[in-house]
């Protein structure tokens, strides 16, 4: 629970710094009925969306312990595969777009949360104004440098700080509520309903700010694999939920009874003598807020690579005891560049909040749509039950998105543009991979190839040692094996064709992981399955085969791994993809991490053979 507080709840836990402030700014005045209606909207949005939808509903849809939009897409896809039905293309594309928007959210969260906290220095003294952006930039640089230490280290470091933050948030809230207990009437949803009835246009505008109180809800689901569903739920129910709700009530009481507090209600809610400690603890908490989405982005990237949604990137396991805790240097670098761009371009949290809501709303909407497939195909709910739950949730998510559409020109264009670019890239990679695998599946059957080679008039020379040819399609001849026999005219005494398959489940059973086929003449096919959070380590898998391939024993000194170095050429799809997408696929393939690193191989044990990819 303590680790979960440090990694999972930073984003939603620091939304009280700016959510109510932005709502008052959207409303334009601090009339009692408007503030009470706004507070009621925030409270019930948290109850319905975060508590009801995510904690009680979406988190049940973990894919064997893994969560997030990519894991949810894989789970929804497996429901169709189990029934022998074709996975709807729209469902897959929706999952890819949701993942792309989550990356946009991961870029905005560090910028807006850290800036909002540093801006508290201006309440201490106006002399700090010119230094707000530089201080925020320094803090963010330190945060991204810290990522390589790993989620476990970050969680242990940040957990206690976040616990102090939530206790402080609740303490300040109680302090203000005791002074003005009348604010508790906003617990009734009638105040929100009254605002909607009396001022429908204003309520719709305020709804665009209410979504800021929900930021980080997706991280609760995305980080299940790091800490487990039970720890996250308990931390939410016991610590996070009470603290943030009390904090919102305390801020509303401050706005209603203290003139001028509406411009920074979070900082004005604290006693004057506690302003500097408030700024300092807010700075620490917002650093942690950034951590929630960054770690979620790492997890999602690792999953997306294994499911064929992204090219291979370098993924570093940061924990020897817990699976799923990873660090992705390329993602860390891209997020850092994007965050620094946002801070230096927008220069204030007020401007950045306009860019925030649309990314959060679209991700939440796509999650709800994916849940329709899960509830129907995996949980086998009747259509009436699916509709009764999904239609209201989709309606709420759609309203939240619609309330933020008008903010696209003000900054919402950034996450949308990032999301579209990433979606095109992910969809192109997935489509290119599908076409390449379909072409590879049409290659000569492996048994036929070996028979033709061994029975030919001039068979290749048999050389001592072991050759391993990794591939992806069982039963077909890897391109590297074809090239080696054609050009070098050799076949090793022991030849192992290794077919590696990624499943829609996060992990596979050890008893069914490996299947061995003896093809005769010292040739074998090994089919290995792994889940989308597992990394295939070839030396370790080969060592586990001792005794399964006759007298053969794995000897690293006498084993060579032949890997294809793929190159996608223009026109390689034969019209099945536009030329620009072929070029994009080729660039992504060229810049992907090496197969040697992916399979856990030493470079001195690898021979790469250039192969032109046909899609």
């Amino acid at each position: 629970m303590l680790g979960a507080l440090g990694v999972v709840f930073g984003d939603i836990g620091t939304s009280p710094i700016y959510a109510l402030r932005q709502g008052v700014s959207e409303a334009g005045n601090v009339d009692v009925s408007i503030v009470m209606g706004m507070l009621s909207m925030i409270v019930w949005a948290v109850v319905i969306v975060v508590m009801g939808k995510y904690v009680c509903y979406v988190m049940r849809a973990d894919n064997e312990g893994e969560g997030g939009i990519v894991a949810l897409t894989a789970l929804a896809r497996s429901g169709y595969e189990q029934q022998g039905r074709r996975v709807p293309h729209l469902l897959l594309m929706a999952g890819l777009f949701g993942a792309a928007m989550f990356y946009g959210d991961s870029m905005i969260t560090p910028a807006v949360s850290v800036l909002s906290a540093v801006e508290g220095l201006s309440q201490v003294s106006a002399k700090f104004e010119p230094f707000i952006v530089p201080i925020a930039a320094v803090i963010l640089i330190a945060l991204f440098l810290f990522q390589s230490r790993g989620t476990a280290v970050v969680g242990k470091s940040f957990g206690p700080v976040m616990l102090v933050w939530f206790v402080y948030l609740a303490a300040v809230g109680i302090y203000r509520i005791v002074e003005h207990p009348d604010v508790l009437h906003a617990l009734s949803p009638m105040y929100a309903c009254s605002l909607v009835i009396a001022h429908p246009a204003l309520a719709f505008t305020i709804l665009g700010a209410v979504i800021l109180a929900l930021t980080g809800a997706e991280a609760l689901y995305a980080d299940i694999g790091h800490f487990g569903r039970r720890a996250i739920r308990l931390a939410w129910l016991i610590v996070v939920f009470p603290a943030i709700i009390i904090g919102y009530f305390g801020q509303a009481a401050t706005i209603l009874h203290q003139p001028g507090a509406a411009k920074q209600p979070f900082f004005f809610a604290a006693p004057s003598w506690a302003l500097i400690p408030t700024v300092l603890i807010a700075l620490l908490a917002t650093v942690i807020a950034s951590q929630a989405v960054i770690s979620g982005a790492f997890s999602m990237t690792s999953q997306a690579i294994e499911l064929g949604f992204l090219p291979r990137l370098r993924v570093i396991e940061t924990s020897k005891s817990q699976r799923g805790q990873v660090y992705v240097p390329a993602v860390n670098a891209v997020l850092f560049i994007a965050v620094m761009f946002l801070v230096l371009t927008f220069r204030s949290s007020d401007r950045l909040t306009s860019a925030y809501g649309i990314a959060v709303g679209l991700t939440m909407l796509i999650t709800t749509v994916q849940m329709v497939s899960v509830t129907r195909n995996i949980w086998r709910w009747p259509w009436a039950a699916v509709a009764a739950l999904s239609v209201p949730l989709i309606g709420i998510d759609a309203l939240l998105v619609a309330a933020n559409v008008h903010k696209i020109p003000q900054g919402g264009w950034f996450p949308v543009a990032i999301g579209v670019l990433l979606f095109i890239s992910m969809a192109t990679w997935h489509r290119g991979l599908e076409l390449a695998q379909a072409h590879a599946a049409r290659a000569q059957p492996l048994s036929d190839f070996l028979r033709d080679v061994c029975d030919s008039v001039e068979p290749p020379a048999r050389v001592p040692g072991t050759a391993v040819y990794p591939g992806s399609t069982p039963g077909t001849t890897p391109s590297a094996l074809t090239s080696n026999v054609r050009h070098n005219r050799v076949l090793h005494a022991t030849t192992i064709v290794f077919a590696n398959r990624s499943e829609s489940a996060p992990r596979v059973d050890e008893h069914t992981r490996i299947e061995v086929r003896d093809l005769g003449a010292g040739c074998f096919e090994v089919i290995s399955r792994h889940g989308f959070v597992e990394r295939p380590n070839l030396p370790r898998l080969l060592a586990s085969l001792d005794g399964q391939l006759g007298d053969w024993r794995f000897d690293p000194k006498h084993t060579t791994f032949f890997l294809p170095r793929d190159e996608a050429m223009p026109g390689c799809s034969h019209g099945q993809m536009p030329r620009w997408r072929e070029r994009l696929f080729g660039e992504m393939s060229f810049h992907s991490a090496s197969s040697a690193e992916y399979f856990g191989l030493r470079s001195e044990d690898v021979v790469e053979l250039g192969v032109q990819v046909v899609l």
Side-chain angles (χ1 to χ4, degrees):
M1 283 176 59
L2 194 62
L5 284 176
V7 174
V8 180
F9 293 104
D11 191 1
I12 196 167
T14 53
S15 56
I17 296 177
Y18 48 80
L20 195 61
R21 179 198 71 192
Q22 191 64 23
V24 173
S25 176
E26 298 277 358
N29 63 64
V30 290
D31 180 81
V32 173
S33 63
I34 292 175
V35 173
M36 293 289 281
M38 184 189 314
L39 177 60
S40 184
M41 288 174 68
I42 288 176
V43 169
W44 285 98
V46 172
V47 170
I48 294 171
V49 176
V50 184
M51 179 81 80
K53 174 183 165 182
Y54 279 94
V55 176
C56 297
Y57 175 51
V58 175
M59 286 180 69
R60 288 184 59 205
D62 64 296
N63 195 336
E64 297 184 19
E66 294 297 319
I69 189 69
V70 171
L72 181 62
T73 302
L75 183 63
R77 184 173 71 177
S78 69
Y80 285 92
E81 292 172 345
Q82 290 170 10
Q83 300 176 27
R85 298 162 59 192
R86 181 179 177 83
V87 181
H89 185 68
L90 185 60
L91 182 75
L92 187 61
M93 291 300 102
L96 291 182
F97 189 71
M101 292 309 301
F102 185 83
Y103 281 115
D105 183 14
S106 302
M107 295 172 183
I108 299 174
T109 295
V112 70
S113 48
V114 171
L115 266 176
S116 64
V118 177
E119 285 167 354
L121 291 172
S122 63
Q123 303 302 311
V124 178
S125 172
K127 294 180 180 179
F128 284 110
E129 279 288 348
F131 304 103
I132 287 175
V133 172
I135 291 173
V138 170
I139 292 171
L140 289 166
I141 290 170
L143 172 67
F144 280 97
L145 288 175
F146 194 45
Q147 292 305 311
S148 61
R149 301 293 298 275
T151 304
V153 174
V154 171
K156 290 176 181 176
S157 304
F158 288 168
V161 176
M162 209 63 199
L163 180 60
V164 172
W165 163 258
F166 285 118
V167 171
Y168 180 82
L169 194 63
V172 172
I174 291 171
Y175 164 70
R176 289 298 182 181
I177 292 170
V178 169
E179 285 187 339
H180 308 288
D182 52 307
V183 76
L184 291 174
H185 291 128
L187 280 171
S188 170
M190 294 308 298
Y191 279 87
C193 295
S194 298
L195 178 61
V196 172
I197 294 170
H199 308 284
L202 179 61
F204 184 73
T205 301
I206 290 173
L207 197 62
V210 169
I211 197 173
L212 298 176
L214 312 176
T215 60
E218 195 70 29
L220 272 68
Y221 180 47
D223 282 325
I224 290 178
H226 286 217
F227 300 99
R229 180 168 52 190
R230 186 168 181 268
I232 292 174
R233 279 179 168 172
L234 287 175
W236 166 259
L237 292 170
I238 296 171
V239 180
V240 182
F241 176 65
I244 62 175
I245 294 300
I246 292 171
Y248 282 123
F249 274 96
Q251 288 184 45
T254 306
I255 292 172
L256 291 174
H257 298 91
Q258 187 172 337
K263 61 181 181 180
Q264 284 287 2
F266 171 79
F267 294 105
F268 273 86
S272 56
W273 56 267
L275 183 57
I276 293 178
T278 299
V279 173
L280 293 176
I281 195 171
L283 281 172
L284 290 173
T286 50
V287 168
I288 299 165
S290 309
Q291 181 60 46
V293 290
I294 294 172
S295 62
F298 291 159
S299 297
M300 189 175 70
T301 300
S302 178
Q303 296 170 7
I305 291 170
E306 295 304 325
L307 290 168
F309 299 153
L310 284 173
R312 291 170 181 166
L313 300 174
R314 189 183 179 201
V315 177
I316 301 172
E317 297 280 350
T318 59
S319 174
K320 295 181 179 179
S321 59
Q322 288 183 292
R323 293 178 178 178
Q325 298 195 2
V326 296
Y327 166 64
V328 187
V331 172
N332 194 59
V334 170
L335 289 179
F336 170 71
I337 293 170
V339 167
M340 295 306 295
F341 169 80
L342 288 168
V343 169
L344 298 176
T345 302
F346 288 86
R347 304 185 71 84
S348 80
S349 61
D350 275 340
R351 296 177 191 150
L352 272 170
T353 51
S354 297
Y356 210 174
I358 192 74
V360 176
L362 284 171
T363 305
M364 293 194 303
L365 177 59
I366 291 170
T367 295
T368 307
V369 171
Q370 298 284 56
M371 284 299 297
V372 173
S373 175
V374 171
T375 52
R376 179 60 183 165
N377 296 321
I378 303 292
W379 298 348
R380 304 299 175 90
W381 285 13
W383 272 117
V386 174
L389 184 58
S390 301
V391 170
L393 290 178
I394 289 174
I396 292 170
D397 291 338
L399 270 175
L400 291 171
V401 172
N404 282 275
V405 167
H406 73 280
K407 297 182 180 179
I408 290 179
Q410 305 166 22
W413 57 268
F414 180 82
V416 172
I418 292 294
V420 169
L421 288 174
L422 286 172
F423 169 73
I424 291 173
S425 300
M426 294 169 77
T428 298
W429 180 259
H430 183 71
R431 178 58 177 161
L433 216 56
E434 275 187 337
L435 294 175
Q437 290 173 351
H439 182 269
R442 295 193 294 270
Q444 186 178 12
L446 180 59
S447 56
D448 293 350
F449 173 81
L450 292 173
R451 185 180 60 250
D452 292 345
V453 167
C454 295
D455 295 343
S456 64
V457 178
E458 296 182 6
R462 300 302 294 263
V463 295
T466 299
V468 180
Y469 296 89
S472 59
T473 307
T476 59
T477 308
S479 55
L481 175 57
T482 305
S483 298
N484 194 31
V485 171
R486 181 191 306 128
H487 296 296
N488 298 324
R489 303 299 301 167
V490 296
L491 194 64
H492 285 69
T494 301
T495 299
I496 300 174
V497 175
F498 180 83
N500 179 51
R501 298 183 61 180
S502 179
E503 304 289 340
S504 294
R507 299 173 184 87
V508 298
D509 190 278
E510 290 296 333
H511 298 94
T512 60
R513 182 181 298 278
I514 296 176
E515 177 185 343
V516 178
R517 294 174 56 206
D518 188 345
L519 304 175
C523 300
F524 302 89
E525 182 179 36
V526 176
I527 301 172
S528 173
R529 299 174 178 84
H530 69 280
F532 59 76
V533 299
E534 298 177 307
R535 312 295 294 177
N537 186 290
L538 258 181
R540 194 180 304 145
L541 284 169
L542 290 172
S544 71
L545 293 176
D546 287 353
Q548 298 186 49
L549 306 183
D551 296 331
W552 179 84
R553 295 291 184 273
F554 177 55
D555 183 357
K557 295 180 180 179
H558 297 92
T559 301
T560 305
F561 299 88
F562 291 86
L563 303 176
R565 185 63 182 175
D566 299 334
E567 182 181 4
M569 305 298 292
C572 57
S573 72
H574 300 290
Q576 296 185 74
M577 280 204 311
R579 185 61 63 91
W580 66 270
R581 292 189 76 186
E582 291 178 352
R583 293 196 182 98
L584 177 58
F585 179 81
E587 286 296 320
M588 295 173 75
S589 178
F590 179 78
H591 291 288
S592 63
S594 70
S595 299
E597 183 175 359
Y598 176 75
F599 286 117
L601 306 176
R602 300 182 304 174
S603 57
E604 57 265 32
D605 297 332
V606 172
V607 173
E608 286 192 340
L609 299 172
V611 176
Q612 290 187 357
V613 175
V614 178
L615 304 183

